[in-house]
DNA sequence: CAGCATCCAACCGGATACTG
DNA sequence: CAGTATCCGGTTGGATGCTG
């Protein structure tokens, strides 16, 4: 405890790094959409595909693997024929869903204001 | 109102599009960090630069312009010498700060669990 | 101090084709 | 049905150098 200020600064930076790591998980193009679609029900692969609409197989697969890797969704394979795989949020995923819903709420509430702000800003600065 | 289901589906999709537009704003690499650093105090350019640490000038500039465009921060130029520019959150930016703080909180709370989950997952699936 | 301009590498993500 | 493999274009963002 010789240099508490330094300690604090370091852990602060480390905390920021962790936060960014996590934010990059949900900051990609599809994670939030998929998490919302999962909600509190379990869904199958192509079901998610339809719901998250123009998502490609590749991206859905990658997104789900990322979420599974982080312990946010579970993947259960029923080896029937045809094969069937169910995805669902884990408790941790559900807790994230709450946060994400707040975010979505805010986005919905402020979407038009933001769009207006953008066009106003762009009118003042014509591109080139 | 012949096909209310269709109507709902369409507006739902539009809503999703809007939300994604907004999420992409804060989904980039630096916006959240800058918003947190602004908090409820006004800050100068290089001050933000130091606080958001390894951010480059270019990225800070771009991030701030994006946030200003969306009406989330204000930019005030004092023409003194040397020049001085202050950035601060608008009311809308402050409301976003609340949401973002929730997110950061969640990230902090779950960071270690997520890291553990990742290493466990990766142990099960060695690369290649 | 507060930026803009340019260049360029890395990565993200879409399209497409194929498999168990 | 539920994916994997490959290709490849656009965007993101870092490094660097210059300006008022």
């Amino acid at each position: 405890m010789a240099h508490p200020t330094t300690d604090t600064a370091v852990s602060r930076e480390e905390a920021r790094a962790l936060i960014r790591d996590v934010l990059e998980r949900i900051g990609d193009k599809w994670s939030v959409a998929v998490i919302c679609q999962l909600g509190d029900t379990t869904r199958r692969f192509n079901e998610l595909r339809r719901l998250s609409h123009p998502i490609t197989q590749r991206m859905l697969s990658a997104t789900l693997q990322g979420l599974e890797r982080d312990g946010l969704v579970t993947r259960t394979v029923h080896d029937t024929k045809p094969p069937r795989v169910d995805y669902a949020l884990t408790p941790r995923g559900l807790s994230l869903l709450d946060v994400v819903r707040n975010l979505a709420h805010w986005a919905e509430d402020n979407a038009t204001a933001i769009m207006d702000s953008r066009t106003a800003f762009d009118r003042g600065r014509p591109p080139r």
Side-chain angles (χ1 to χ4, degrees), chain A:
Chain A
M1 308 272 187
H3 298 288
T5 19
T6 304
D7 282 6
T8 309
V10 169
S11 60
R12 270 280 189 135
E13 262 198 48
E14 280 172 9
R16 288 236 153 270
L18 289 178
I19 290 171
R20 270 251 306 290
D21 258 15
V22 175
L23 288 183
E24 271 163 29
R25 158 106 305 290
I26 69 158
D28 64 13
K29 193 167 180 182
W30 296 106
S31 290
V32 167
V34 169
I35 287 169
C36 287
Q37 298 298 358
L38 278 175
D40 45 8
T41 63
T42 107
R43 299 204 184 272
R44 301 172 55 184
F45 189 84
N46 278 333
E47 193 179 0
L48 285 170
R49 195 151 151 49
R50 279 189 299 274
L51 291 170
S52 303
H53 190 201
I55 194 174
T56 61
Q57 283 185 332
R58 191 172 103 76
M59 279 302 105
L60 179 54
S61 183
T63 302
L64 286 169
Q65 281 181 35
L67 294 173
E68 189 194 359
R69 189 169 102 103
D70 285 1
L72 299 172
V73 313
T74 56
R75 189 187 114 110
T76 37
V77 184
H78 312 263
D79 49 300
T80 59
K81 187 183 172 257
R84 172 199 180 107
V85 181
D86 285 338
Y87 292 92
L89 291 181
T90 63
R92 195 184 308 151
L94 278 169
S95 75
L96 175 57
L97 178 63
D98 274 353
V99 181
V100 160
R101 272 184 176 150
N102 284 348
L103 209 63
H105 228 104
W106 186 92
E108 222 166 350
D109 291 347
N110 296 84
T112 59
I114 288 177
M115 298 308 161
D116 290 353
S117 184
R118 281 181 193 177
T119 58
F121 186 88
D122 293 345
R123 187 168 22 223
R125 320 203 155 185
R128 192 138 334 251

